Each structure stands twice: as structure tokens, then as C-alpha cells.
Amino acid sequence: MPRGALHHVELWVPDLSRAERSWGWLLTALGYVPYQRWEGGRSWRLGPTYVVVEQSPALAADEHDRTLPGLNHLAFDTGSRSDVDALVAAAGEHGWALLFGDRHPFAGGPDHYAAYLEDTDGFEVELVATSGAAAGHVGDAP
């Protein structure tokens, strides 16, 4: 792993079963595989990087607000535009809702094909088409 590469991300969630339903589906659809499992958490790994969802007993609140200081969203490379579209089509069945639907799939700008999803607990992901036209991140999410 190159120095400075992202090693892992840990998300503290208010309900592990909801997080496992939404995050487990999404991460598996993106090629991650189950990595760790313990009473209060789960993780999925892709190469050297892994994502953890944990329902910690040390939580100070029972909800996440992406508009407060801290984490706003995680962005994932999905491959093609059709990959973004397929994930959006299935997302609702797994606890995700489309954000900025009136501007989808160009909510990030005219040269940025992506979907912005929010799970039941308020965590946001950006699914970015990075192959073909409209590849790359051109700025901040709306």
C-alpha cells in the first residue's frame, strides 16, 4: 500500500442491522467482500482498503447529520454510466434514496455523471462514473 493511501474508514451508526442492509449491499455491489464481523460491527474490504460500520456503545448521539462539521460523504468509483444507473435502480430496495433528483445524474455539474444517495441514517455516498465520457470529479457535491 503506498504511503498516504486510505487504509480504512469507520462509520459509527445508530443501528447496525440497518447499516449492514444498506452499506453491505452497496459495498458488495462495488466489489468489496466481507472482511470482519463482531457483535457491534462489520467490515468489507476491497484490496488493501476496508470500510467499517460499527454500532459503538460510546455513541454520543443517535443520528448522523452530513451538514454538520465532519464527514459529508464518501465517493466511490463505479465504472461506467450504466453501472451508476444500475446501482440507482436497485438502491431503494436496500435503504438508499436518491438525493438531488431534479438534477440527477448531473447534480455535480454538466461534466460529472454521478448519483448522490442517502441511507436511512443520513449517510451520503456519491457514485461516480469514471470510465468513458463525464469521468472525474469536478467539484464539491451540491
Side-chain angles (χ1 to χ4, degrees), residues 1 5-12 23 27-28 30-38 41-54 71 74-76:
M1 179 181 264
L6 186 63
H7 186 269
H8 73 275
V9 173
E10 184 169 329
L11 303 173
W12 280 15
W23 285 96
L27 293 169
T28 300
L30 292 171
Y32 286 72
V33 295
Y35 177 49
Q36 300 163 315
R37 184 177 188 90
W38 64 100
R42 310 285 181 268
S43 70
W44 294 264
R45 185 179 199 126
L46 181 62
T49 305
Y50 61 99
V51 177
V52 176
V53 294
E54 180 178 358
L71 178 71
L74 297 176
F76 294 94

Side-chain angles (χ1 to χ4, degrees), residues 8-22:
H8 73 275
V9 173
E10 184 169 329
L11 303 173
W12 280 15
V13 297
D15 186 294
L16 182 58
S17 62
R18 273 197 313 258
E20 188 171 17
R21 177 177 174 246
S22 60

Side-chain angles (χ1 to χ4, degrees), residues 70-84:
L71 178 71
N72 177 264
H73 70 278
L74 297 176
F76 294 94
D77 175 345
T78 63
S80 70
R81 289 179 176 200
S82 62
D83 293 327
V84 170

